[in-house]
Each structure stands twice: as structure tokens, then as C-alpha cells.
Amino acid sequence: MSYRYLTIMLLAGVSLTAIAGKDENKETSGTKISFSKARNDSTRHALFDLHRPHGNKDIPVPHFCIHTDDHRFALTIGGQVNPILGVDLGNDLYDQKGAGINFTTNSIPVPAIKGHKSDFYINALNADVDFQVVGFGGSCDQITGYIKIGASGNTNDIQLKDCYASWRGFTAGRKTTLFKDELAAQPPTIDPQGPSGEVSATAYEVSYISPAFRNGLRFAFGLATPTYYHSSGRYYGPDYQDWLEEGEVVADPNYYSQNVPDFPVWVEWAESKYNRIRLSGIVRNFIYRDEVEQKRRHAFGWGVMVSGNWNPIRQLVFNMQAIYGHGIGNYIQDLAGLPLSFTPSQKQVGKMSANPMMGLVLGASYTINKRWQVNAVASEARIWKVGPYAKENATEEGHFNDYKYGFYFAANAFYNISSYLQVGMEYLYGRRGTWNVGSGFDNRIQTQFMLTF
């Protein structure tokens, strides 16, 4: 583990401990420190759950915590260790760059590589640890610091995945984008990545989420810079690329620094946790240089999403998400990292445009009892008006940038042996379509043996 991550965690703990210990209205120097249960105690569970991530891939509130007797300071450490064993049939997706343990449909080789149409694997690199510190717990001034680190899933490298602070509805740091609807994104899957059309991205972000009003309404807004899989916070942009025409650069997206953040917003109505609907939007600005007319130009991206849940009976929950927009590829699971969001215009040489794209996710979860749960999800991502550009930038092996659509299906069953240990089995099917060489598919069957602490 890098020493800088340890330094960050130590500084966060020391800083928030100092905040929690300072109170002008009450002397706390003699406060008793206790080691107690957290997940099964409603008061302490609510304390930590308030500002934790709530996606189905996130670590739940840990079993135990350290806290003062008045809960004005609390600390917990949690984690998951999830070895996965599986087999690919139809394509060797596990061995492809950008995929591996993630069932990434945009990495399915088209056509399938001869002699590499199946693969068996055991992956023990799917593990995360998180740290959460709470100051002024239970009061309106409660402040939370949260850090999550873990393995990438495909290498031994340890990565900083989340690092943020929250107070009175405001959150600042590196986190899952505000544009994502964590409860509606998908049912649980063993696959760490999830559906092709899901909105899911990490961003450097400052955001605000309002408390719920009496009629169940609440809203949120923020400023964000997507990480594009880089940790420096700069806007790099592998979702766009130089365009060469007869050996000449006609549009240069790297000539200027990107100096305008993305603007995500949403408004939500909720009758209960799993009976809710949300309308989300995002606006993006992209700066580039028109090399034909030697001008600074802007291309605007935007997206709208409808998402939500429906809980018709206690045991059954439906998940839904539909997104459409222009130039928002980094926010759609299967399109992130492809140089297709902003491409040079086919009509006006030197200008660039934001391309239309969509994502759709439909899923269902049925909880049979406290030990058994079954889930299914189908999803599709699709992009238009990039055919000539995609063909030009396709690589010979696998045609990885020659992307037209990606379809994803997962069905699984989970069994909770205890509150610490869960086993599961899953079937996955994916298909990737291209503009000029047809399509390719892969089937995956895998199991998990997940410890949560």
C-alpha cells in the first residue's frame, strides 16, 4: 500500500477526532470510549449510514465501531473480501484489456479470437477496506469523513476509490457521481462492474442534497470533474480524440485546458425507500481548437435520466433507469473510456460535436427469506452518428473503438450463511455490436465467496 494513502487516513482520523472533541457548550475530556456493535444497533447504524455510499456494490455499515458514550465521536472500519471463480464461454473476455473480472461488454472481441473462445479463472483481487469517522454524531452539525481503498480487481495495485467529507447535506471530495441513482442502478450482481447502460462514474465533486420535505420531495445539485480513471483530478478525456484528415489535424481537443466543470442536478419524489422516482440532468462544456479556422470553440453535452424503484409487495423490488443525452459517454458504464463522446463533425471540417447516446437498465430482486435472494437485470448502451469515426479509430485486434451497442444480462442467486459470509452463483451474457464487422458475444458462469466485516 502506498504511504501517501496511509498518511491521508491518519490525517483524516486525527483531524476529525479533534473536531469531535471540541464543544464549547459541553466538557468532553473525560468521555468514555466504548467498543460496540454498529450494524445491529439502530442508533449507531443511523449514525454511520447517514453519509455512507448506498450502492449495491458499496460496503454496508460494519458490524462494530468505537464511540464515545454520547456518540459525539465515532469511528468504524469495514471491508469486503470477495474471491470469484468462473469460466467464460464463447469469448475470452477475462483476458481482455479493460475487462478481466469486470464483465465489460465493450471489451468483447469482435470477431472472437481463434483459440481463445473460453477461459477459466480464479480471482482473489476483489477486496476493499473503508474507514469512517463521525464528529458531533446525532446533531445537526454531524460531520463525516469517509475513505475507501481497495484492489483494482485485475492487479495487485491498491487504489484510492473514495475520499470525501460530508456536513449538513454538503459533500466534497472523490466519490460516486451525483448523477448516479444508487438505489435504482441495478440489483446486486457478482460482476463488480454491472450493466452496460448503467450510469456509474467516479468524480471529483462538490454537491448538496436537501433533506426530504413532508411531501417526499428532495433535490440535489453539484459541480463535478469526472476522473476518467485518473487520480490527479485533471480533465483528461479518453472519451474524445484528435481527428486526422489526410494527415492533417483539423480539431485539437488538447490545445486548451478544460476550465468548466460538469453540472449534475436531480429532483426526487419518494413514498418509501423502494417506491420512488427521480428525474436527473447534467450539462457539460467541452473546449477545443478549430485548426481549420484557428479558433477556440465550445461543444456542449447534456443528459437526462428517469430512474426509480417499485416495491409492489414486501419481497419484490423493481429497478429502472433510462438515460439519453449527447456527449455523456464517461457517465455510461459501457461508453466510459471510448473516444466517442465528442468527435469531429462530418458536416463542418474543424468543428466537433457531442454525439447522441443512451443507456437502459431494467432489473428485479426477490428476497425469498433472510438467507435467500434471487435477481435478474437486463441492460443496453447504444451510440449513434459515430460510424465513420469509430471505423477510423478501430484497432485491428478486436476493433475495440468500433462500438455501436452493448447488451448485458445477468441472473443470480445469493445465500447468506451468516451476517459475515455470503455465497452466490451467477450467469452473465453480453453482446457487443460494431459498425462494420458484425457482433460478438460471451457467456460467463461464476461463483463468489464474500466475507463482509
Side-chain angles (χ1 to χ4, degrees):
M1 181 188 299
S2 173
Y3 287 110
R4 69 174 181 270
Y5 292 156
L6 290 174
T7 303
I8 290 171
M9 289 183 284
L10 289 173
L11 288 176
V14 171
S15 299
L16 287 170
T17 300
I19 292 172
K22 181 180 177 181
D23 188 347
E24 296 179 355
N25 300 316
K26 182 178 179 181
E27 180 63 44
T28 59
S29 59
T31 302
K32 180 182 176 182
I33 301 293
S34 302
F35 180 74
S36 306
K37 290 184 177 180
R39 186 179 299 181
N40 296 326
D41 179 271
S42 59
T43 299
R44 289 185 283 275
H45 185 279
L47 199 71
F48 291 109
D49 190 60
L50 179 63
H51 292 139
R52 290 182 72 85
H54 294 100
N56 57 63
K57 298 298 181 187
D58 293 310
I59 302 169
V61 173
H63 286 270
F64 297 97
C65 67
I66 299 172
H67 64 92
T68 57
D69 54 3
D70 57 5
H71 294 104
R72 295 184 67 78
F73 168 77
L75 179 149
T76 188
I77 300 175
Q80 288 181 335
V81 179
N82 189 16
I84 296 175
L85 177 153
V87 60
D88 280 332
L89 300 169
N91 234 312
D92 185 2
L93 181 58
Y94 184 81
D95 197 41
Q96 302 306 313
K97 182 179 179 180
I101 195 174
N102 297 307
F103 195 75
T104 310
T105 51
N106 74 17
S107 295
I108 295 175
V110 180
I113 302 171
K114 186 177 180 180
H116 296 272
K117 295 184 178 182
S118 63
D119 191 14
F120 173 81
Y121 61 88
I122 298 175
N123 189 303
L125 302 176
N126 189 31
D128 297 300
V129 176
D130 70 2
F131 305 80
Q132 188 176 6
V133 184
V134 174
F136 301 126
S139 72
C140 60
D141 282 320
Q142 178 172 319
I143 182 170
T144 296
Y146 181 83
I147 295 174
K148 180 180 179 181
I149 61 174
S152 66
N154 294 315
T155 71
N156 291 321
D157 297 337
I158 301 298
Q159 300 177 345
L160 177 64
K161 296 186 175 182
D162 291 309
C163 182
Y164 63 82
S166 297
W167 174 77
R168 287 181 173 257
F170 290 95
T171 299
R174 176 188 169 100
K175 57 184 285 293
T176 300
T177 173
L178 183 73
F179 193 43
K180 178 177 180 176
D181 187 341
E182 294 178 314
L183 292 180
Q186 63 179 86
T189 58
I190 296 176
D191 171 30
Q193 176 163 287
S196 56
E198 174 186 325
V199 170
S200 181
T202 300
Y204 296 91
E205 189 175 83
V206 178
S207 62
Y208 173 75
I209 300 177
S210 76
F213 301 106
R214 288 186 178 181
N215 57 4
L217 288 174
R218 61 177 185 154
F219 64 89
F221 57 87
L223 304 176
T225 300
T227 60
Y228 295 106
Y229 304 110
H230 291 272
S231 60
S232 66
R234 291 188 59 195
Y235 188 107
Y236 282 98
D239 69 339
Y240 57 81
Q241 203 173 62
D242 290 0
W243 175 252
L244 300 178
E245 187 168 302
E246 297 181 358
E248 182 182 358
V249 177
V250 296
D252 186 359
N254 299 309
Y255 190 91
Y256 303 104
S257 297
Q258 303 295 324
N259 53 23
V260 178
D262 295 351
F263 297 91
V265 298
W266 56 255
V267 60
E268 175 187 281
W269 175 83
E271 183 180 71
S272 61
K273 182 177 181 179
Y274 291 117
N275 285 291
R276 46 182 288 280
I277 187 168
R278 178 182 293 185
L279 177 64
S280 305
I282 194 166
V283 177
R284 310 183 69 190
N285 179 68
F286 165 55
I287 305 171
Y288 67 96
R289 183 169 179 81
D290 181 339
E291 294 289 359
V292 176
E293 297 188 14
Q294 299 293 297
K295 289 184 178 180
R296 175 189 178 107
R297 296 192 185 277
H298 297 259
F300 293 95
W302 58 271
V304 292
M305 180 173 71
V306 177
S307 58
N309 304 91
W310 182 40
N311 186 197
I313 59 175
R314 181 178 60 84
Q315 295 167 295
L316 179 64
V317 176
F318 290 99
N319 309 69
M320 181 275 292
Q321 177 188 113
I323 179 174
Y324 177 83
H326 288 237
I328 55 171
N330 186 68
Y331 289 93
I332 298 177
Q333 191 88 275
D334 221 29
L335 300 177
L338 296 179
L340 301 175
S341 284
F342 297 94
T343 60
S345 172
Q346 302 297 311
K347 297 179 180 180
Q348 295 177 292
V349 178
K351 292 187 178 181
M352 298 188 78
S353 58
N355 294 309
M357 52 196 65
M358 58 82 72
L360 180 66
V361 180
L362 296 172
S365 298
Y366 187 80
T367 303
I368 300 172
N369 52 47
K370 67 178 183 179
R371 293 191 181 275
W372 283 98
Q373 184 185 64
V374 293
N375 308 275
V377 59
S379 179
E380 183 171 320
R382 186 175 288 266
I383 190 168
W384 294 272
K385 297 186 178 180
V386 296
Y389 187 72
K391 293 175 187 177
E392 182 74 18
N393 288 278
T395 60
E396 289 298 323
E397 185 179 350
H399 297 270
F400 289 116
N401 287 341
D402 187 8
Y403 183 94
K404 187 176 183 180
Y405 70 87
F407 176 79
Y408 176 104
F409 174 78
N412 57 48
F414 295 104
Y415 179 73
N416 297 307
I417 296 175
S418 70
S419 60
Y420 292 93
L421 185 61
Q422 182 188 76
V423 295
M425 177 166 285
E426 180 169 81
Y427 168 74
L428 293 158
Y429 172 82
R431 176 171 291 275
R432 181 167 77 94
T434 67
W435 291 96
N436 64 334
V437 289
S439 62
F441 72 94
D442 189 39
N443 298 276
R444 177 172 290 182
I445 300 172
Q446 59 186 6
T447 61
Q448 73 169 18
F449 193 77
M450 184 171 70
L451 169 69
T452 302
F453 55 90

